[in-house]
Amino acid sequence: VIVDILMNHMASPCKKARNSGESSDELPCVGWGGSRYGNRRQQGARGWDASRPEHFHHLPNDTRTPFCKVGPQTGWLCPDDDCTPCDMYELPDFNTELQEVRTMQFKHLEELFHIGVTGLRVDAAIYHHVYELADMLNHLPWDLIYQEWWGEYPPQ
């Protein structure tokens, strides 16, 4: 079984979250599985999988404001040719430089592995530094890992 995973972004805020403002601590959005999220937060289902604004890339001293954004509005160009800290299409970007975030993502992968998943397709792998991906992926004996890369990345 191969699963398509996205480890660097969470869902974009729903309309109610955008209308409540970035400073709100509310979780006004409801995911497909019933989990609550919004405003760079997610409730989580197990405790260890809950996230707060500090778990995402943000401006210094302002956990509510994205570090940078990328998408059609920027011509898909990233600051300093590094897309890893940017929110794409308003999807809050996990700060996978933080060990706590990498551990959270690894626990999700571990659950998948233990229910029989043996292969992964890593969506938007370009938005991770290689050492971060390795730290999250290389602890389990996957049969196959396929990573999505596009454009001129990774840089030579």
Side-chain angles (χ1 to χ4, degrees), residues 73-113:
Q73 76 278 11
T74 66
W76 298 102
L77 299 175
C78 304
D80 301 319
D81 290 329
D82 182 6
C83 294
T84 59
C86 299
D87 287 12
M88 182 173 74
Y89 285 123
E90 297 185 31
L91 302 170
D93 188 70
F94 277 110
N95 185 352
T96 51
E97 287 108 352
L98 299 174
Q99 183 62 52
E100 182 179 3
V101 171
R102 290 195 308 271
T103 299
M104 180 189 321
Q105 299 297 7
F106 170 72
K107 286 180 178 184
H108 284 293
L109 294 171
E110 190 174 41
E111 285 184 335
L112 291 171
F113 184 80

Side-chain angles (χ1 to χ4, degrees), residues 22-139:
E22 294 270 339
S23 62
S24 174
D25 287 339
E26 294 180 36
L27 298 171
C29 310
V30 180
W32 288 11
S35 60
R36 302 199 64 84
Y37 72 97
N39 299 312
R40 303 178 87 74
R41 298 175 174 277
Q42 63 185 8
Q43 180 182 33
R46 295 163 185 80
W48 56 260
D49 57 342
S51 59
R52 304 176 307 279
E54 300 81 32
H55 290 132
F56 299 91
H57 285 109
H58 54 79
L59 291 178
N61 303 316
D62 183 359
T63 59
R64 305 295 182 139
T65 304
F67 180 77
C68 55
K69 296 179 181 180
V70 65
Q73 76 278 11
T74 66
W76 298 102
L77 299 175
C78 304
D80 301 319
D81 290 329
D82 182 6
C83 294
T84 59
C86 299
D87 287 12
M88 182 173 74
Y89 285 123
E90 297 185 31
L91 302 170
D93 188 70
F94 277 110
N95 185 352
T96 51
E97 287 108 352
L98 299 174
Q99 183 62 52
E100 182 179 3
V101 171
R102 290 195 308 271
T103 299
M104 180 189 321
Q105 299 297 7
F106 170 72
K107 286 180 178 184
H108 284 293
L109 294 171
E110 190 174 41
E111 285 184 335
L112 291 171
F113 184 80
H114 289 302
I115 62 169
V117 173
T118 60
L120 303 171
R121 178 196 175 269
V122 182
D123 190 41
I126 193 171
Y127 284 83
H128 291 286
H129 291 114
V130 173
Y131 74 89
E132 296 162 8
L133 270 177
D135 187 44
M136 293 181 283
L137 298 172
N138 289 344
H139 297 283

